[in-house]
Amino acid sequence: MLSLVQESVNYINSKINCKPEIVLILGSGLGDLADEVENPTIISYKDIPNFKSSNVEGHKSQLVIGKFYGKNVLIMQGRFHYYEGYSQAEITYPIRVFKEMEIDKILVTNAAGGCNKDFKPGDLMIIKDHINFSGRNPLIGPNDEKEGPRFPDMSEAYSKKGIELIKKCAEELNIVIKEGVYMFFSGPSYETPSEIKMASILGADAVGMSTVPEVIVSKYCGMEVFGISCITNMAAGITYKPLNHKEVIETTKVAKEKFSGLVRMLVTKI
Ligand code: HPA
């Protein structure tokens, strides 16, 4: 595994002349922030040895690397999803590459359906924990102790300090922010009302089809993880309205300003 990773690292490093300190994974409809990187180096996933590419509407398929509000960042503009047919190991391959580049902080963002009845579309939610409901784990398979432990601890997958920092930034920006548990369903079908009822009973506040595999591998590799969901819709059965991806993208546009403001400030303070 490491030699493949090293090949990807060498390619990325040959294209950049800075050392990124933070990875930002920008979810559905939230990728425009990458346009604010100064003098960006843009690397298409398809050009990076051993990378896959992603084809979901609202997702580009490239790394954007450069200075973002004073910090060198590496942005994944578009991510890989389990529902696209990739294994969870494939989805999380980029994380291993970023860790090998010695980046040790990651902010993951996503669009999610709200199952907490106190939420409304357009809300932002700090991810304080997750439930992996996919029945799979990206770390299944042989383990290389040089990358991380066989049985990594997940009792603080999302940095407690990070959660407090996001709250502080939101307060300074006068943004109302929610906090909750994100539950990962494989998709691509949206959940049924019964599944959402189950999710609520199990302690979920929001549901979605991404993020959890990347967080598991980031934590395994020893990275500090920060997570923010944009609640784009109320999940199935909470409001009796059919769900569609267009609505998800439309709501990210509504939330974009506060989301962008929060991420800009967070990056300066991380
Ligand atoms: N369910 C799963 N994933 C999602 C949703 C949802 O309701 N909204 C945005 N991503």
Side-chain angles (χ1 to χ4, degrees):
M1 184 68 143
L2 263 182
S3 62
L4 291 178
V5 167
Q6 198 56 54
E7 209 182 3
S8 307
V9 169
N10 292 348
Y11 180 83
I12 297 169
N13 279 340
S14 74
K15 301 279 169 202
I16 60 178
N17 46 19
C18 68
K19 199 161 167 44
E21 303 160 76
I22 310 168
V23 175
L24 308 183
I25 300 185
L26 299 178
S28 285
L30 303 168
D32 289 355
L33 260 183
D35 298 339
E36 298 175 27
V37 173
E38 294 166 35
N39 301 320
T41 301
I42 297 177
I43 308 176
S44 176
Y45 295 163
K46 66 178 180 348
D47 294 334
I48 306 173
N50 314 318
F51 258 56
K52 310 277 177 213
S53 70
S54 170
N55 297 309
V56 183
E57 193 196 331
H59 283 267
K60 290 193 177 158
S61 249
Q62 59 193 25
L63 298 183
V64 180
I65 303 165
K67 195 68 97 194
F68 180 87
Y69 299 90
K71 289 262 167 73
N72 289 323
V73 299
L74 180 153
I75 297 182
M76 272 191 96
Q77 204 177 20
R79 57 148 63 89
F80 306 106
H81 299 87
Y82 190 39
Y83 62 70
E84 291 177 85
Y86 300 122
S87 71
Q88 292 197 14
E90 286 172 326
I91 296 169
T92 53
Y93 174 80
I95 306 294
R96 294 171 188 256
V97 171
F98 305 149
K99 178 62 189 180
E100 195 59 25
M101 291 171 69
E102 298 176 338
I103 311 178
D104 60 5
K105 292 187 171 62
I106 180 165
L107 168 62
V108 288
T109 67
N110 58 45
C115 47
N116 180 327
K117 292 186 173 129
D118 293 335
F119 292 2
K120 57 181 186 327
D123 277 349
L124 299 180
M125 179 189 92
I126 304 171
I127 307 175
K128 68 172 180 187
D129 202 358
H130 70 225
I131 299 171
N132 178 5
F133 193 64
S134 68
R136 291 290 298 178
N137 189 295
L139 300 173
I140 289 174
N143 187 56
D144 183 342
E145 285 284 329
K146 288 201 279 301
E147 283 189 280
R150 172 75 289 188
F151 302 108
D153 176 44
M154 290 288 145
S155 51
E156 195 190 314
Y158 300 81
S159 159
K160 282 217 161 53
K161 252 176 44 208
I163 293 169
E164 290 315 307
L165 183 61
I166 301 172
K167 280 190 201 159
K168 241 181 80 200
C169 293
E171 205 177 287
E172 261 183 65
L173 293 164
N174 252 321
I175 294 171
V176 176
I177 195 144
K178 305 283 171 41
E179 191 179 334
V181 175
Y182 176 90
M183 187 162 176
F184 172 46
F185 284 79
S186 74
S189 54
Y190 286 111
E191 301 73 26
T192 63
S194 300
E195 286 164 348
I196 292 303
K197 189 169 166 193
M198 171 194 71
S200 304
I201 292 168
L202 293 181
D205 298 288
V207 294
M209 306 177 196
S210 68
T211 303
V212 166
E214 294 105 307
V215 169
I216 291 172
V217 174
S218 300
K219 188 68 188 163
Y220 158 80
C221 292
M223 296 168 95
E224 185 177 13
V225 178
F226 305 75
I228 303 172
S229 290
C230 174
I231 305 298
T232 51
N233 55 280
M234 294 318 288
I238 305 256
T239 52
Y240 290 88
K241 207 171 118 204
L243 301 180
N244 63 72
H245 190 56
K246 190 159 167 278
E247 180 193 355
V248 167
I249 300 292
E250 286 302 316
T251 311
T252 56
K253 287 183 188 152
V254 174
K256 199 152 99 179
E257 269 323 298
K258 63 181 176 180
F259 171 80
S260 303
L262 185 61
V263 173
R264 286 181 201 116
M265 181 179 281
L266 188 58
V267 165
T268 63
K269 293 186 189 253
I270 276 176

